[in-house]
Amino acid sequence: MNQALPTVPPIPDVSRWLTTVDELDAWLSGHRDQPLALDTEFERVSTFFPIPGLVQLGAGGSLKLVDPSVAEQCTRFRETLADSERPKLLYAMGEDLELFRHWLDLEPRGLLDLQLGSALAGAGFSVGYARLVESLFGEALDKSATRSDWLARPLTPAQEEYALDDVRFLEPLYRWVTERLAERGLESALAEESDRFAADLLAQSEPADAYLKLKGGWQLPPEKQQVLRALVVWREQECRRRDRPRNRVLADPALIGIADRLPDNAGALAAVDGVPPVVVRRFGDQLLAVVREARQSGEVPGVLIDRPLTRPQQDLYRRIKKSMVRAAEQADVPVELLAPRKRLEALLREGNPAKGDLGFFDAGWRAQVLASERAGIVALLEQQENYD
């Protein structure tokens, strides 16, 4: 990390804000050939959806702040977010992606998550932005405004500087990351991994699939998982309608308990652990109707909640993980990124050892990094038939 680093632009003393749609449009047009550094501030304490408080932009050394009311009215801003050819530079983009989906009703394209990129470049797994900025650029970020009220106006100068710092280092960091990835022969890895992360995150927010996150429901038989699925969809819809966090409506263990007990009256519903009286009073009729309709449908989910690995599978998991650790160490990338636990477990559950198919691990940069270990991993997978 001692190589020469790109220049970091200073925080502007004046003209920090783009206050109208025309100003934002003109600024975006003037920087359309450059990567766009992007961040947001929002509030989400007692709501289901994040409330946008601020948009921060950077390009070509120019750093700007934008009110959400201005950004949401700007057609060019929306078009820029949706443009897969225009790189958007973010750091730990998960919450930003969720915000854009619900606030602007769009799924951004061309996003590059520089937390993932810095990990691929050898800076470590899941390193915080402030820590990486200090280690690379020698600047300690003032985090005193982290808990600010970003919905209040006017913002203080300290808030403005904090917000601009969140985009000020993104373009220099992008250059550092791309140079390091080029040296490693992993030029495409940043875009590949960012696209994968975004796709996984967006898929997880689909109400019909949200039941799969309730890992404690794996013991339910398929017909009860169908009830659980219907209950989780009901909760997702209710939370969105009321704009309340999930646990403010009904916690996961209570949903699993209802699906297991299959109550058919208010008394039976009240007897389920974790279902408070206020929920029975407010939602009891709805919950009982959901249970009844799901049972009467006679359907079962096409995908069931993942069961824990068996002991033989756990042993195989550890052996394959060792091979992946060796490959990760040789390439100097985090094994957590190379071999996400969920993906590795899925390989053991769904892989086709007869064809030597590694699925997820046979694509893109992972195939390149795992090339030296691939034959050994396939051989281990072929032993799975002896365990099943």
Side-chain angles (χ1 to χ4, degrees):
M1 297 187 187
N2 295 321
Q3 68 188 77
L5 293 168
T7 302
V8 177
I11 291 180
D13 293 328
V14 295
S15 301
R16 296 177 176 180
W17 289 84
L18 299 170
T19 59
T20 69
V21 172
D22 287 343
E23 287 180 0
L24 176 55
D25 193 305
W27 186 88
L28 289 169
S29 297
H31 297 88
R32 60 180 174 271
D33 296 326
Q34 298 163 324
L36 179 68
L38 177 63
D39 192 38
T40 63
E41 304 296 340
F42 56 87
E43 295 291 334
R44 191 182 198 173
V45 177
S46 60
T47 62
F48 183 83
F49 297 114
I51 304 170
L54 185 66
V55 177
Q56 303 104 286
L57 302 173
S62 175
L63 306 174
K64 295 295 182 181
L65 303 174
V66 186
D67 267 323
S69 60
V70 173
E72 68 186 15
Q73 297 177 61
C74 181
T75 300
R76 191 176 297 275
F77 180 66
R78 292 172 178 270
E79 291 174 345
T80 299
L81 289 180
D83 183 0
S84 61
E85 300 300 317
R86 175 78 181 275
K88 271 75 68 178
L89 314 178
L90 301 95
Y91 199 91
M93 68 183 182
E95 292 181 321
D96 301 292
L97 182 58
E98 184 182 5
L99 175 67
F100 289 130
R101 189 181 200 188
H102 293 298
W103 167 40
L104 300 178
D105 192 27
L106 62 80
E107 296 181 3
R109 296 288 186 264
L111 304 182
L112 300 176
D113 190 330
L114 296 178
Q115 185 177 55
L116 299 174
S118 62
L120 289 164
F125 179 67
S126 197
V127 176
Y129 179 71
R131 177 182 165 192
L132 184 61
V133 165
E134 185 168 9
S135 68
L136 284 179
F137 301 102
E139 294 197 35
L141 301 185
D142 181 1
K143 307 301 287 184
S144 60
T146 301
R147 301 292 182 182
S148 292
D149 180 359
W150 294 104
L151 304 183
R153 292 294 185 271
L155 297 182
T156 66
Q159 285 178 300
E160 292 181 358
E161 291 179 9
Y162 168 92
L164 289 168
D165 268 340
D166 278 350
V167 290
R168 186 161 68 100
F169 298 90
L170 292 182
E171 191 171 356
L173 178 58
Y174 172 62
R175 292 178 184 152
W176 178 83
V177 165
T178 53
E179 288 174 4
R180 291 291 295 265
L181 293 181
E183 292 171 0
R184 294 161 176 244
L186 295 174
E187 293 92 337
S188 64
L190 172 57
E192 289 177 12
E193 198 60 12
S194 297
D195 287 347
R196 178 199 67 83
F197 180 83
D200 285 353
L201 186 67
L202 293 172
Q204 290 172 9
S205 64
E206 291 296 332
D209 295 329
Y211 73 103
L212 295 171
K213 301 178 189 176
L214 277 63
K215 299 303 182 185
W218 71 268
Q219 297 181 75
L220 297 175
E223 61 274 13
K224 289 187 176 182
Q225 288 197 33
Q226 175 65 17
V227 176
L228 179 61
R229 180 184 186 184
L231 288 167
V232 172
V233 169
W234 170 84
R235 184 182 65 177
E236 291 293 298
Q237 294 171 341
E238 188 66 23
C239 289
R240 294 176 189 216
R241 185 179 70 81
R242 298 170 61 85
D243 196 17
R244 290 291 182 269
R246 294 178 179 89
N247 283 343
R248 296 281 184 94
V249 175
L250 200 55
D252 292 352
L255 292 176
I256 295 171
I258 295 171
D260 185 32
R261 299 282 294 275
L262 301 175
D264 59 3
N265 59 67
L269 179 62
V272 176
D273 287 345
V275 179
V278 65
V279 168
V280 178
R281 291 194 301 270
R282 182 175 297 172
F283 303 119
D285 290 343
Q286 296 178 49
L287 290 167
L288 292 172
V290 169
V291 171
R292 182 173 59 253
E293 292 170 9
R295 296 184 70 185
Q296 290 174 349
S297 74
E299 298 177 358
V300 297
V303 179
L304 299 178
I305 299 171
D306 286 337
R307 301 172 61 89
L309 296 181
T310 64
R311 288 188 177 181
Q313 286 175 328
Q314 290 173 8
D315 177 64
L316 186 58
Y317 175 96
R318 287 189 288 269
R319 296 170 69 187
I320 292 177
K321 185 70 174 285
K322 287 182 180 179
S323 295
M324 294 192 170
V325 167
R326 286 195 297 269
E329 290 176 345
Q330 184 175 0
D332 191 22
V333 299
V335 69
E336 298 91 342
L337 204 58
L338 175 67
R341 182 178 184 87
K342 182 178 179 180
R343 299 285 190 166
L344 187 48
E345 288 183 349
L347 179 66
L348 299 182
R349 292 190 181 99
E350 304 168 10
N352 188 344
K355 295 183 179 179
D357 181 9
L358 299 188
F360 173 77
F361 297 98
D362 266 341
W365 70 273
R366 286 184 176 81
Q368 178 180 337
V369 170
L370 287 170
S372 62
E373 297 288 338
R374 189 185 187 285
I377 293 171
V378 169
L380 288 172
L381 278 172
E382 288 173 346
Q383 298 176 22
Q384 188 173 9
E385 292 181 349
N386 299 324
Y387 295 137
D388 294 340

